[in-house]
Amino acid sequence: MEILAFGVQADEQPLIEAAFRGHQDVHCLDVFLTEDTAPIAAGHEIVSTSVNADLGAPVLETLAAGGTRMVAQRSTGFNNVDLDAAERLGLTVARVSSYSPYSVAEFAWTLAMAVNRRIVRASTRTRDFDFRLHGLMGRDLHGRTAGVLGTGKIGEAFARIAHGFGMRLLGWDVAENPACLALGMRYVPKDELLAESDLVSLHVPLMAATQHLIDANALKAMKDDAILVNSSRGGLIDTTALVGELRAGRFTGVGLDVYEAEAGLFFLDKSLEAIADDTLARLVTFPNVLVTSHQAYYTEDAVGQIVDATVRNVLDYRAGRRSENVLVPRS
């Protein structure tokens, strides 16, 4: 029986095909799973999906009606999955519980350094043979304070890099990470972290409790010249409130690899279309904002690990085994 994989990037396809070779036939599609594309999966027992797939109840019902019995999501986050509907429909849902934390942590630092040192503006100028330095002044990060919201594996990797820069470390999480404490991190309430940090980086999952974790009040608590980086999930930031603060001239820089309304936009070529999302259109016009299209995880190492874990999830399903990657059934 052939697996149908939705939302496969061109660079990702050979890795998926090679990993499944000898185990299972797989057919890769570059279209994303939505209500419109879900009927394509009819007759496929196993469907693999990407991070921006729509796995709400209507899509899951269409999949189940077409004979799908397992959904193997190629991502860690699962805020896009209606787990209650999946359980009601008797679907097995698995994710990739972990992959290279360095891919995301290193990219978060790439964003931080790019906005701090005005790399995009400088590159644009030199392409036009404009070699002036006016407006390109950044700041040393050595000796300044990095605030890490979420100190799991990725947050820890980010903190290790910050420690290498010689930064003071503040952390916020439901549990303290001993490895971060060993780096000298001090855990503080969120508002204290925001008020004292020169660089704030988000590394928490998106769930009801973290939706708009950085809301209007949180943004106002931050330093006017702070740098804000989000390489986790777009819904962690109230983007409308962020635009308001940017319009007021606040923040040295903002680096966003995710956006709360990115579904239907990110991973697609929209260059010849009018963008109806006024918030995103406004956001990308600010000279101190850098937006990338959810690529922090996109390294050979991380994608290879994601694909290998997906293969294991499928093989476990076939053999009736459970692992920490199974979200449904929940017992």
Side-chain angles (χ1 to χ4, degrees), residues 146-200:
V148 187
L149 291 164
T151 57
K153 293 179 180 179
I154 297 173
E156 178 190 330
F158 184 91
R160 289 188 182 281
I161 298 171
H163 182 261
F165 271 92
M167 299 187 76
R168 171 178 173 243
L169 297 174
L170 297 180
W172 176 87
D173 209 327
V174 294
E176 297 182 355
N177 183 335
C180 290
L181 291 172
L183 295 173
M185 177 177 284
R186 182 166 64 92
Y187 282 84
V188 296
K190 184 182 74 170
D191 286 349
E192 183 177 343
L193 181 151
L194 296 174
E196 295 188 21
S197 296
D198 301 290
L199 165 62
V200 175

Side-chain angles (χ1 to χ4, degrees), residues 238-241 243 259-260 276-284 286:
D238 182 340
T239 316
T240 301
V243 168
Y259 173 61
E260 60 182 322
D277 189 325
D278 292 338
T279 302
L280 179 60
R282 185 72 179 93
L283 191 63
V284 299
F286 291 103

Side-chain angles (χ1 to χ4, degrees), residues 177-309:
N177 183 335
C180 290
L181 291 172
L183 295 173
M185 177 177 284
R186 182 166 64 92
Y187 282 84
V188 296
K190 184 182 74 170
D191 286 349
E192 183 177 343
L193 181 151
L194 296 174
E196 295 188 21
S197 296
D198 301 290
L199 165 62
V200 175
S201 191
L202 308 183
H203 301 287
V204 299
L206 179 61
M207 55 186 70
T210 59
Q211 178 74 28
H212 286 179
L213 180 70
I214 304 300
D215 58 11
N217 291 331
L219 291 165
K220 291 185 184 303
M222 293 175 62
K223 293 182 177 182
D224 287 345
D225 60 355
I227 294 171
L228 174 62
V229 174
N230 186 11
S231 57
S232 185
R233 288 292 183 268
L236 297 176
I237 296 179
D238 182 340
T239 316
T240 301
L242 175 61
V243 168
E245 295 302 310
L246 289 165
R247 291 185 66 182
R250 301 190 65 224
F251 305 135
T252 289
V254 175
L256 304 175
D257 185 51
V258 287
Y259 173 61
E260 60 182 322
E262 69 182 54
L265 291 172
F266 282 19
F267 307 138
L268 300 171
D269 182 2
K270 298 289 185 178
S271 60
L272 299 179
E273 301 178 26
I275 298 300
D277 189 325
D278 292 338
T279 302
L280 179 60
R282 185 72 179 93
L283 191 63
V284 299
T285 64
F286 291 103
N288 57 335
V289 174
L290 175 57
V291 179
T292 53
S293 55
H294 207 139
Q295 70 182 81
Y297 78 99
Y298 208 53
T299 67
E300 292 179 5
D301 311 80
V303 173
Q305 292 167 18
I306 289 168
V307 171
D308 288 344

Side-chain angles (χ1 to χ4, degrees), residues 90-170:
L91 294 171
T92 295
V93 179
R95 62 161 178 161
V96 177
S97 57
S98 65
Y99 55 85
S100 168
Y102 310 108
S103 61
V104 179
E106 290 171 6
F107 194 83
W109 268 103
T110 300
L111 291 174
M113 294 304 295
V115 296
N116 178 41
R117 301 306 301 268
R118 322 295 185 188
I119 297 300
V120 175
R121 183 185 298 178
S123 176
T124 300
R125 281 187 184 178
T126 55
R127 285 177 181 272
D128 292 333
F129 298 99
D130 178 352
F131 300 106
R132 292 172 300 159
L133 297 182
H134 176 68
L136 301 182
M137 184 175 287
R139 295 182 296 174
D140 289 1
L141 292 179
H142 177 85
R144 288 190 160 85
T145 300
V148 187
L149 291 164
T151 57
K153 293 179 180 179
I154 297 173
E156 178 190 330
F158 184 91
R160 289 188 182 281
I161 298 171
H163 182 261
F165 271 92
M167 299 187 76
R168 171 178 173 243
L169 297 174
L170 297 180

